[in-house]
Amino acid sequence: MRAWINSLAVAAAMTFSAATLACDGAGKDGPKGTAGDTAKACSADKTACAKSCTNGKDAKAASHDKGLAAAGMPLMKYKVGDQVTACPKEAAKIATADGNDAKIRYVVGETEYADKTEALQAYASQLDDFLATMTTVRYAVADETVSCPVAAQKLAQDKGEAVKFRLASVTFADKTEAEKAAHAARQAADAVQMKTVRDGQTVTCSKEAEKGCAARKVAADQNKSCEYQVGDVKTNCPATAKVELAKARIAAAQKALEQFGQEMAANNRPGA
């Protein structure tokens, strides 16, 4: 069962149009002022938009991210000088230490970004790639994992080991069980949806409609507030919303994998 606790999955598969950025207004994650003011600032200065994309995580959210990272989910990191941390608060503290006002750079994978909005967009894509890998059954031979069945058979012959099937960090002896687990994880991830709240009206975005969700009529309606909601997390920043949706889908898929493992063990079905 321990392997199931270490399983993970998901990510965001959404691309916001330029019109959606106009919805980035005042609120929990944004600067004071009207949505129209923020939209104008964002179109004129990417730095202004980046400032509105602060995460504002509380201790519970930070702990949640830490738990997902322990299971394999990548984290965006923050770099100040030659110091790197995964905690934004720590980065801010380092940046202002000794009366200095050092600039924070954002690290996604091996790439550094000066602009936070660009970093968040890259991070959402990284999580999307993570989901695709996590929910795809691959072939495992000893300590090696490959995507090609022919390559797996060659490895099996060379190593004298049987071909098994790997999903996330879990290895299955039975391919059918691995595929069932992958399907369950993908379904759970796809069920997580984002909502937008504009003038008190809540709209749920289907996965297929996420690209244009909240973008309609925004250009002609910039003075109305627009908020994105994923679970209990609310933000006025579309880039932050993409990341939060990704993480929520990861958590949902992880939970589905754990439940599948428990059911498999209870029914004595062949697995890891």
Side-chain angles (χ1 to χ4, degrees):
M1 295 297 289
R2 187 175 301 170
W4 286 101
I5 303 301
N6 292 329
S7 297
L8 231 310
V10 184
M14 48 185 262
T15 304
F16 281 62
S17 66
T20 312
L21 292 174
C23 223
D24 186 11
K28 182 178 178 181
D29 285 71
K32 294 180 179 179
T34 66
D37 292 337
T38 306
K40 292 175 183 177
C42 284
S43 62
D45 184 1
K46 289 171 69 176
T47 303
C49 194
K51 288 181 179 178
S52 74
C53 289
T54 54
N55 286 320
K57 294 184 180 301
D58 56 19
K60 182 178 180 181
S63 176
H64 180 258
D65 283 3
K66 187 176 180 180
L68 293 178
M73 186 188 79
L75 289 177
M76 185 169 77
K77 297 181 181 178
Y78 306 83
K79 184 176 182 179
V80 183
D82 59 354
Q83 299 186 63
V84 179
T85 176
C87 176
K89 288 186 177 180
E90 183 179 349
K93 190 176 296 185
I94 296 172
T96 56
D98 301 323
N100 295 322
D101 189 17
K103 289 187 177 180
I104 298 175
R105 295 184 65 83
Y106 309 93
V107 184
V108 179
E110 300 298 322
T111 305
E112 291 185 19
Y113 297 86
D115 182 80
K116 187 169 186 177
T117 302
E118 290 182 2
L120 287 169
Q121 291 169 344
Y123 183 40
S125 294
Q126 183 186 45
L127 293 176
D128 187 29
D129 291 340
F130 179 67
L131 165 65
T133 299
M134 294 289 298
T135 57
T136 299
V137 177
R138 295 183 293 168
Y139 303 89
V141 180
D143 58 349
E144 293 190 51
T145 303
V146 296
S147 300
C148 175
V150 176
Q153 288 296 338
K154 187 175 186 308
L155 278 174
Q157 291 175 2
D158 293 343
K159 293 178 177 289
E161 298 275 354
V163 176
K164 294 187 178 181
F165 309 93
R166 185 163 294 162
L167 176 66
S169 60
V170 183
T171 301
F172 295 81
D174 184 86
K175 186 177 182 180
T176 300
E177 291 296 330
E179 290 175 340
K180 286 180 181 178
H183 180 69
R186 285 192 293 268
Q187 279 195 317
D190 289 345
V192 177
Q193 297 177 317
M194 183 182 69
K195 297 179 181 179
T196 58
V197 183
R198 189 184 298 118
D199 293 335
Q201 297 296 316
T202 301
V203 177
T204 299
C205 313
S206 68
K207 195 169 186 294
E208 293 74 18
E210 282 166 5
K211 180 177 180 180
C213 187
R216 299 183 182 89
K217 299 183 181 180
V218 170
D221 198 22
Q222 291 183 358
N223 290 322
K224 291 188 177 183
S225 63
C226 179
E227 186 174 54
Y228 304 93
Q229 181 175 346
V230 180
D232 295 330
V233 178
K234 297 180 180 179
T235 177
N236 294 94
C237 175
T240 298
K242 291 202 302 188
V243 170
E244 292 303 325
L245 179 61
K247 291 177 180 177
R249 287 177 172 164
I250 287 171
Q254 179 187 16
K255 184 177 180 180
L257 286 172
E258 292 173 358
Q259 291 177 339
F260 187 91
Q262 291 168 0
E263 293 173 2
M264 188 173 67
N267 295 325
N268 293 317
R269 301 205 308 268

